Amino acid sequence: MQRYDVTFQLTSPTAKFTAMERVGMVILGLGLLTWVVALWGIGIDQPALMFWGGLAAIATSAFIYFQRYLNRPAGINNDGVWLNSAMAGVKGLVGWTLGIVFTGFYIILYWQDAWLANFVTIFEPLSQLLRNQPADKWFMYGTLYTLAVLIMGVRMLYKYRHNKYQILRTISVMFFQLGFAFLIPSLLVMFNQPEFYFSYFWPLKYDYLWPSSIDWLTGSGKLGVFMVFWGGLMFFLATPILTFFYGKRWYCSWVCGCGGLAETLGDPFRHLSDNSVKAWKYERYIIHGVVVFVVVTTALLWTNSATSGAVLGQASASFSKWYGFLIGLIFAGVVGTGFYPIFGNRVWCRFGCPMAATLGMLQKWFSRFRITTNGGQCISCGNCSTYCEMGIDVRWYAQRGQNIVRSSCVGCGVCAAVCPRGVLKLENGPREHRYNGPVLIHNDRVSVVLDDDWQAETKGMMPVHQEDIPVLTDSDWKGMG
Amino acid sequence: MSKNVVIIGNGIAGVTAARYIRKWSDFNITIISAETKHFFSRTALMYIYMGHMRYQDTKPYEDHFWEKNRIDLIHDRVTGIDAAGKSLSLEQGNAINYDVLIIATGSKSRFFGWPGQDLKGVQGLYGIPDLEAMETYTKDINRAVVVGGGLIGIEMVEMLHSRNIPVTFLVRETNYFEHLFPLEESQIINQEIRDHHVDLQLQTELKEALGDNDGRVRAIVSSKDEEIPCQFLGLTTGVAPNIGIVEASDVETNRGVLVDEFLQTNMPDVYAIGDCAEFREDGIGYRRIDQLWYTGRHQGKTVARTICGVQQRYNPPLFFNSAKFFSIEYQTYGTISAKPEEGIETLLWISDRKKELIRINYRKDNQQVVGFNLLGIRFRHALCEKWLLEKRTIDYVLTHLAEANFDPEFYKKYEPELVATYNRQNPDNPVQMAPKKGVLANIFG
Ligand SMILES: Cc1cc2nc3c(=O)[nH]c(=O)nc-3n(C[C@H](O)[C@H](O)[C@H](O)COP(=O)(O)OP(=O)(O)OC[C@H]3O[C@@H](n4cnc5c(N)ncnc54)[C@H](O)[C@@H]3O)c2cc1C
Ligand code: SF4
Ligand code: SF4
């Protein structure tokens, strides 16, 4: 036997496109072309035609392609994910191209919006219809975002059609994005009310607890006062209660729009999330840093407002501006979505979101949620860790028979779905035993009990109950310090 | 005094032993393995080929783990064991002395001397080299044949299927996995295989493989004297202990390395664990040779205790196993035999779509439950095990069945249908399911 080098390359399964899929690609090309030429003003005198025509083509081609999932029996289908250059992340040319396109889009959106002026005009009819206002770049962006969640949401529904948890959760994020993050804010604008997102709260929507926003909302009438009340209620009451019962997933995987985009548009990239201990280390510094930043900003603004600006003057305003720029804009947008094809689909949620961090602390210490490990069934295959979008090394716990209680887990349920041995289950249960010792040990204890001679044999040696002790802590085994 | 513990083989057995020896002692630990430098999950081989994971994703521990835990890794092949002189010779490196030796060399594919089995494109599936060969020989081919109706066979079929390669699957028995599965389970899997458009040929064996001018397989002849063209032939007719180097030493072997209930060989300070070990007597393991991931793990831990000073008899947990057949997950707890058994009653439920199955076997005389078989449904391992050990009756188990369910939230619950089936069969003694409550309390309480 020789010694083998395991760097060998696997080839991609021959990408066989059906005739229908080829037609789909042509339709997709035409749809994209319709929208791209609008950038140069071509056809913008027919905005409705351009918008709906382009959308119809893109959606049609997407649904044609999604038929792939219906053409095979229901079940987990990750065939070829790492063999496909689009999905293989940093290594893939297509992955990089997509990353550059996504990131480029955000950069243009924020800093070169003049380039988009013509394109925005094709959103005019829809904007008039929903908001009775001319379209602007943010309406265009919100529309595209919502469409991405809806179209790729349908893909999720096809892909996981055997899994009811995935189906319900996907319908939920599609519903909240369309209703609470798109239609309701639009209607509010139509009725001259403050544009308010009922599905976002401080600290994610950081300015909802800033004195300026509160002044603005309360000053805008009864509905505004209700909005302030709602924001406070959701953050101070609903968030801790729901998180206590269900973990942070009630928000991150069922309601949040950022989570919604990650779970739909981002699903093809979930395996790119780095699950090394090193990444985990950075993650904890960065995300908690952001929380500190947003808390400090909010506190400064309130101090300033309470002292009528006497104490801090302009300092707090520039601090908040910086928060808005660095976190709200660069991180949440440019990096958060643009880097899906490089760092996985939850870059923002994992490294940047202050809401995720806050919920995470609650989840870790004050929640009934955990992922239960099914006895000794784990075969250490690694599917769970590979497909965990939060880069959690799920296998690390599962192979020791230990429950997974991690602050970053968004409860997407994909680890449980991809596990070929039925080892993982997302559960809300009593808080005792939530942090269990390895259940693999349990098997030993049982066999010890079964074996009557055992006690005699080991008399004077290691006491039986020491069998329970070997709980390998992370610091023992991973050198986390 | 620090002993030198040397382990041959970095599979689940050897690595588990190393981990626990490190936990319980300060000995020097060295693992020598030829296949890969780092431990990877053999059970995940199929997913590498299928593109679900890369090789590095199948490594259960990051590379820095070994150094941090002072476990030395040598990527080399052991060529000889001098059990009297307590040393090993290596293919590349210098000889190594040991105080304690653990042989954990695993298995190798087993072939039956078919004509043509040495042709190019004919292979088994056990390790990374097989995966490499498979990669080479399945490129741009238009048909493959896989022989052998076991767990590795169906995995190989699924692998080929994922690359859109049409597969003919030859199974000697009347139904897939018949020697371990009751008929109904086998039939469900037969159908699942066919639903994936695999050409499943039952009661068919391999007669010979035919080569072309380049010495590469071009077709096979089946026991039905049919010639089936193919450019790849997978032979998954079982594995046998990989003990070539041991056979040439003073360590006693039969089919595997012979060990007692302490996993000790005939030579002092030499142990054998995992796939390569064979018990001298029945009744120590589930079988004399237990070729399972879980048993390798358990043996590794057991031997570690003995080596760390507490003589520990090997005592496997209550039998359990799991697998996945295309999209159908399988779990089993306790004893379910393939053929109906004297004195054993079976409660069986199969869903209308014939993709889910629950079988609970119990004794006729005292109603004690002896085993569970599950297809397409997950049950809680700890709870099933607890019930079996506590010798619970079928009434008790059915009453509390809702607590055993481990399927994801919102999944359809099939237990009421199972209980209804039982009540139809036992109208005098109907069971009522208790409302689901306090699952975890039940397990730990
Ligand atoms: C494709 C496949 C799927 C499987 N799926 C399952 C499953 O789902 N569930 C389950 O329970 N079991 C499964 N098994 C069986 C399970 O993987 C084995 O029982 C288990 O891996 C055996 O572990 P081990 O440590 O005894 O040996 P191995 O994992 O075989 O490790 C032995 C190591 O020793 C090395 N070695 C051998 N000889 C030498 C030498 N002379 N010098 C240096 N190194 C040497 C080998 O290179 C090898 O790396 C599967 C097996 C295969 C092949
Ligand atoms: S641990 Fe599982 S449920 Fe949690 S984020 Fe990761 S994949 Fe999703
Ligand atoms: S929990 Fe499941 S998916 Fe994760 S390593 Fe274990 S068997 Fe594989």
Side-chain angles (χ1 to χ4, degrees), chain A residues 32 86-87 94-111 116 141 144 148 152 261-262 264-269 272 329-330 332-345 347:
Chain A
L32 287 175
M87 307 313 165
V94 185
W96 273 105
T97 314
L98 276 177
I100 291 167
V101 170
F102 285 178
T103 318
F105 172 75
Y106 277 93
I107 292 172
I108 293 169
L109 183 70
Y110 288 126
W111 291 287
L116 295 170
Y141 174 62
L144 289 182
M152 290 300 277
L261 191 72
T264 51
L265 182 69
D267 178 71
F269 307 105
L272 301 173
L329 199 150
I330 308 249
V334 181
V335 178
T337 311
F339 285 16
Y340 277 8
I342 297 156
F343 293 131
N345 57 329
V347 198

Side-chain angles (χ1 to χ4, degrees), chain A residues 1 379 421, chain B residues 8-14 32-35 42-43 45 76-78 104-107 125-126 152 155 242 245 273-275 291-294 321-322:
Chain A
M1 197 193 308
I379 50 169
R421 296 294 180 270
Chain B
I8 314 177
N10 66 354
I12 181 69
I32 309 170
S33 201
E35 188 179 3
R42 194 168 300 292
T43 52
L45 273 178
D76 203 341
R77 178 174 187 261
V78 175
T105 49
S107 300
L125 175 67
Y126 191 79
I152 299 181
E155 287 189 0
N242 177 18
I245 53 158
I273 52 175
D275 275 24
Q291 288 150 325
L292 285 176
W293 181 263
Y294 310 116
N321 199 6
S322 58

Side-chain angles (χ1 to χ4, degrees), chain B residues 423-440:
Chain B
N423 288 342
R424 266 197 307 280
Q425 289 168 5
N426 300 277
D428 311 334
N429 181 23
V431 169
Q432 181 140 35
M433 279 176 81
K436 186 184 169 203
K437 211 164 57 187
V439 174
L440 297 156

Side-chain angles (χ1 to χ4, degrees), chain A residues 3 10 79-80 82 249 277 374 376-377 387 395 421 425 427 443-444 446 462 467 472 477, chain B residues 23 41 50-52 59 62 65 75 135 294 297-298 301 305 322 379-381 385 389 407 409:
Chain A
R3 302 192 314 153
L10 294 159
D79 291 352
W82 281 108
R249 56 184 170 153
V277 173
N374 201 8
Q377 295 276 18
Y387 288 93
R395 164 175 55 194
R421 296 294 180 270
K425 179 172 163 68
E427 286 193 295
N443 292 324
D444 295 352
V446 168
M462 195 182 282
E467 191 72 68
L472 319 187
W477 286 92
Chain B
K23 254 209 110 43
S41 178
M50 291 167 75
H52 296 201
K59 290 195 246 183
E62 284 182 57
F65 174 91
H75 189 190
E135 191 58 44
Y294 310 116
R297 192 171 65 191
H298 202 68
K301 189 173 168 190
R305 268 197 100 169
S322 58
F379 271 13
R380 272 173 216 276
H381 183 175
E385 184 188 63
L389 293 172
D407 277 340
E409 294 153 299

Side-chain angles (χ1 to χ4, degrees), chain A residues 2 23 25 61 92 95 188 190 220 237 251 275 284 288 292 316 386 410 425 427 442 448 464-465 472:
Chain A
Q2 77 208 73
V23 174
M25 278 182 231
S61 64
L188 288 170
M190 165 127 74
S220 72
L237 208 64
Y251 191 70
N275 56 24
R284 288 185 298 179
H288 293 124
V292 171
S316 64
T386 304
V410 290
K425 179 172 163 68
E427 286 193 295
H442 169 85
V448 165
V464 175
H465 62 263
L472 319 187

Side-chain angles (χ1 to χ4, degrees), chain A residues 1-6 8-11 13-14 16 72-76 78-83 162-165 168 249 254 275-277 370 372-383 386-387 395-396 399 416-417 419-430 433 436 440-444 446-447 450-451 453-454 457-458 461-463 467 470-472 476-479, chain B residues 19-20 22-24 34-36 41 43-44 47-55 57-62 64-65 68-69 71 75-77 91-92 128-129 131-132 135 139-140 155 161-164 195-196 242 262 293-294 297-298 301 305 309-313 315-317 320-324 327 329 331-333 378-382 385 389 405-411 440 444:
Chain A
M1 197 193 308
Q2 77 208 73
R3 302 192 314 153
Y4 290 92
D5 172 15
V6 283
F8 66 94
Q9 280 295 308
L10 294 159
T11 51
T14 27
K16 286 182 186 135
R72 41 167 33 241
I76 290 301
N78 285 322
D79 291 352
V81 163
W82 281 108
L83 309 177
H162 61 292
N163 187 316
K164 205 137 173 224
Y165 182 77
L168 292 177
R249 56 184 170 153
W254 288 74
N275 56 24
S276 68
V277 173
R370 93 293 308 274
T372 309
T373 297
N374 201 8
Q377 295 276 18
C378 177
I379 50 169
S380 300
C381 69
N383 274 296
T386 304
Y387 288 93
R395 164 175 55 194
W396 170 256
Q399 67 191 356
C419 172
R421 296 294 180 270
V423 175
L424 306 163
K425 179 172 163 68
L426 280 60
E427 286 193 295
N428 317 304
H433 304 302
N436 69 330
L440 298 182
I441 303 299
H442 169 85
N443 292 324
D444 295 352
V446 168
S447 59
L450 262 189
D451 180 355
D453 307 338
W454 198 88
E457 257 166 32
T458 57
M461 296 189 210
M462 195 182 282
E467 191 72 68
V471 176
L472 319 187
D476 278 352
W477 286 92
K478 280 207 157 176
Chain B
R19 283 177 49 229
Y20 281 100
R22 171 50 66 246
K23 254 209 110 43
W24 292 328
E35 188 179 3
T36 54
S41 178
T43 52
Y47 300 113
I48 302 178
Y49 181 88
M50 291 167 75
H52 296 201
M53 285 186 280
R54 299 160 299 173
Y55 163 70
D57 302 318
T58 68
K59 290 195 246 183
Y61 304 97
E62 284 182 57
H64 57 72
F65 174 91
K68 204 146 268 164
N69 292 289
I71 296 172
H75 189 190
D76 203 341
R77 178 174 187 261
E91 193 170 68
Q92 325 234 321
I128 296 284
L131 213 55
E132 278 187 299
E135 191 58 44
K139 217 162 262 167
D140 304 320
E155 287 189 0
H161 177 263
S162 79
R163 300 252 185 131
N164 298 314
D195 284 353
H196 284 79
N242 177 18
F262 295 98
W293 181 263
Y294 310 116
R297 192 171 65 191
H298 202 68
K301 189 173 168 190
R305 268 197 100 169
V310 182
Q311 276 281 311
Q312 169 74 65
R313 215 163 70 184
N315 197 346
F320 68 97
N321 199 6
S322 58
K324 192 172 181 186
S327 296
E329 285 173 23
Q331 296 185 335
T332 187
Y333 302 109
R378 303 169 174 180
F379 271 13
R380 272 173 216 276
H381 183 175
E385 184 188 63
L389 293 172
N405 190 292
F406 199 72
D407 277 340
E409 294 153 299
F410 308 115
Y411 269 42
L440 297 156
F444 296 104

